[in-house]
Amino acid sequence: MKIDELAATLGYTIVSRQYENREIADGYTSDLMSDVMGNAQEESLLITIQAHRNSVAVAVQLDFAGILICNGRAAPAEMLDAASEHGLAVLTTDENQFVSSYRVYLAIKGAC
Amino acid sequence: MQYRADLHIHTCLSPCGSLEMSPRAIVQRALEVGINLIGIADHNNTSNCVTFEKICKETAGIECLYGLEATTAEEIHVVCLFDTVMQAKEFGDYWYSTLTPVKNIPEKLGDQVYVDEDDGILGEVEIFLNSASTIGIDGLRVLVHERGGLVVPAHVDRSSNSLSSQLGYLPPGDFDALELSKFFVARSRRVDELNLQGMGSCPFVTASDAHYLHDIGKAYIEFEVDELSVEALRAVLEKKRFSKVSNARVL
């Protein structure tokens, strides 16, 4: 499932200006970027509340499909600038990470 | 003696530190802007410290505290400083061995080089230095204090890698000071605005966190001691006999 379709299906807002509508192969939920770097798969959607430029750096490094920021947190301008520079999709939701993880999992992998 | 101290400066060793940040260039810039005490705090490694010792010994008007900016398991950055290179290196080598071993890729993540007094490259550090240790902030504090070092959680006001972003409270224990970023101090913001419970009476300092030469000295503390040492500085901080200055440009 691609970013646009995920956002439309699950009701997430895409806040980055320029982004590549990537296929989401997997998801990873973590707020520790060192953990993400050590364990996440490429082409994942990062589900986090770490709304800052470092998350973009890690996501780009790992060739992620995008970042979903939970808990209604806003993506600051410098994060969105960095994301747009790399064509990385950044989405936001009011859901917490528990709910988002479940919903995104179902959407991209189907029911367990 | 009066000190104007910038106690959080990165070098070319940190992956995010500019390659222009050689020990010689840093010392020169510090002198130019009136800083006479620098704190060397690269991410999770002390390999550039020994060159600073050589340069500071032969250069009048500049002194140095040696250490690193540790990334704890909670991904909190903490500036740790020691009197001597030997102390810093002993701790630094141990701390480096506790990092989650993400291998550095210089083209993607940045160069991690340590150099001699003539800016000649001596070597490269293998593990990505923005990785985190397996040791948490409490463990770090104990380790550094046991070795006579100073423990200062870095840029506590920042929205990432800070006590406020990662924990939201100051854990119990004797931290020597809390560092506010140069922008917080420049904006004259108040510490009660911070998302940080349990601050108690912990003193607040500031420093440049310089990753580029032009940032050195943008924030510093001023204090007076008879003879410089970590112990003397610890006492100054505890008694709050220092002032914080920032002339960072705030947009």
Side-chain angles (χ1 to χ4, degrees):
Chain A
M1 176 179 286
K2 291 195 174 184
I3 291 281
D4 284 348
E5 195 189 337
L6 185 97
T9 309
L10 299 185
Y12 298 153
T13 310
I14 301 175
V15 292
S16 40
R17 297 184 298 276
Q18 281 148 263
Y19 64 94
E20 220 189 304
N21 189 23
R22 299 275 303 265
E23 181 72 29
I24 305 166
D26 201 352
Y28 199 79
T29 301
S30 179
D31 293 325
L32 291 182
M33 294 305 119
S34 56
D35 168 60
V36 176
M37 287 192 85
N39 296 305
Q41 300 300 313
E42 291 173 347
E43 300 178 340
S44 288
L45 179 73
L46 175 62
I47 300 170
T48 185
I49 58 169
Q50 292 286 12
H52 50 67
R53 204 173 53 180
N54 292 349
S55 310
V56 172
V58 170
V60 167
Q61 224 297 83
L62 294 168
D63 198 28
F64 275 6
I67 302 178
L68 173 66
I69 301 173
C70 297
N71 282 4
R73 290 192 174 208
E78 58 158 31
M79 179 187 186
L80 295 180
D81 289 343
S84 293
E85 206 184 314
H86 291 101
L88 180 77
V90 177
L91 303 86
T92 58
T93 176
D94 286 340
E95 294 168 353
N96 65 31
Q97 287 153 289
F98 176 72
V99 172
S100 291
S101 298
Y102 171 71
R103 295 183 78 221
V104 169
Y105 184 96
L106 280 184
I108 66 176
K109 293 200 187 255
C112 308
Chain B
M1 172 150 170
Q2 276 272 72
Y3 284 99
R4 185 176 279 191
D6 186 350
L7 294 177
H8 184 171
I9 297 176
H10 289 264
T11 79
C12 49
L13 176 62
S14 290
C16 40
S18 162
L19 273 180
E20 66 177 2
M21 301 284 272
S22 71
R24 195 166 285 291
I26 288 170
V27 166
Q28 194 178 322
R29 179 65 190 170
L31 288 168
E32 277 170 18
V33 297
I35 296 290
N36 61 358
L37 174 60
I38 52 177
I40 302 307
D42 280 309
H43 292 292
N44 298 307
N45 195 286
T46 52
S47 296
N48 251 343
C49 286
V50 67
T51 301
F52 275 95
E53 186 182 42
K54 290 188 183 142
I55 295 175
C56 289
K57 272 198 173 129
E58 64 184 38
T59 310
I62 188 94
E63 288 178 76
C64 193
L65 291 176
Y66 308 92
L68 49 73
E69 182 175 17
T71 307
T72 69
E74 305 92 340
E75 291 190 354
I76 300 167
H77 288 180
V78 181
V79 171
C80 308
L81 295 173
F82 300 87
D83 286 309
T84 69
V85 173
M86 198 157 76
Q87 286 170 310
K89 196 103 195 16
E90 190 266 325
F91 172 71
D93 287 348
Y94 170 68
W95 185 256
Y96 179 70
S97 77
T98 68
L99 294 181
T100 318
V102 175
K103 206 164 180 297
N104 189 40
I105 308 163
E107 316 84 62
K108 277 189 164 181
L109 300 171
D111 292 296
Q112 302 184 155
V113 296
Y114 52 102
V115 300
D116 62 23
E117 318 89 274
D118 302 310
D119 298 2
I121 294 177
L122 292 170
E124 272 190 78
V125 169
E126 227 184 64
I127 293 175
F128 179 49
L129 290 178
N130 269 337
S131 178
S133 171
T134 46
I135 298 176
I137 191 165
D138 296 318
L140 169 69
R141 179 179 48 76
V142 168
L143 282 171
V144 174
H145 278 159
E146 268 173 2
R147 287 158 173 74
L150 209 65
V151 179
V152 181
H155 43 66
V156 298
D157 54 297
R158 221 171 75 169
S159 59
S160 59
N161 300 116
S162 70
L163 274 175
S164 56
S165 73
Q166 305 307 102
L167 285 185
Y169 66 91
L170 180 64
D174 51 341
F175 293 94
D176 296 299
L178 302 174
E179 182 202 79
L180 296 166
S181 77
K182 53 185 179 285
F183 299 116
F184 189 93
V185 172
R187 285 188 180 114
S188 303
R189 290 186 51 204
R190 295 191 335 264
V191 296
D192 54 9
E193 295 170 19
L194 292 171
N195 173 36
L196 199 55
Q197 308 274 344
M199 286 181 278
S201 60
C202 199
F204 286 91
V205 295
T206 190
S208 69
D209 192 5
H211 287 69
Y212 296 92
L213 288 176
H214 62 251
D215 280 331
I216 293 171
K218 285 254 168 85
Y220 53 86
I221 59 170
E222 284 182 314
F223 61 92
E224 189 169 340
V225 287
D226 292 330
E227 204 179 306
L228 179 71
S229 69
V230 163
E231 274 322 299
L233 177 53
R234 209 195 305 278
V236 159
L237 295 173
E238 196 187 356
K239 295 183 183 123
K240 303 198 174 143
R241 291 204 180 126
F242 64 94
S243 52
K244 289 191 300 296
V245 179
S246 170
N247 42 44
R249 191 163 149 255
V250 178
L251 300 159

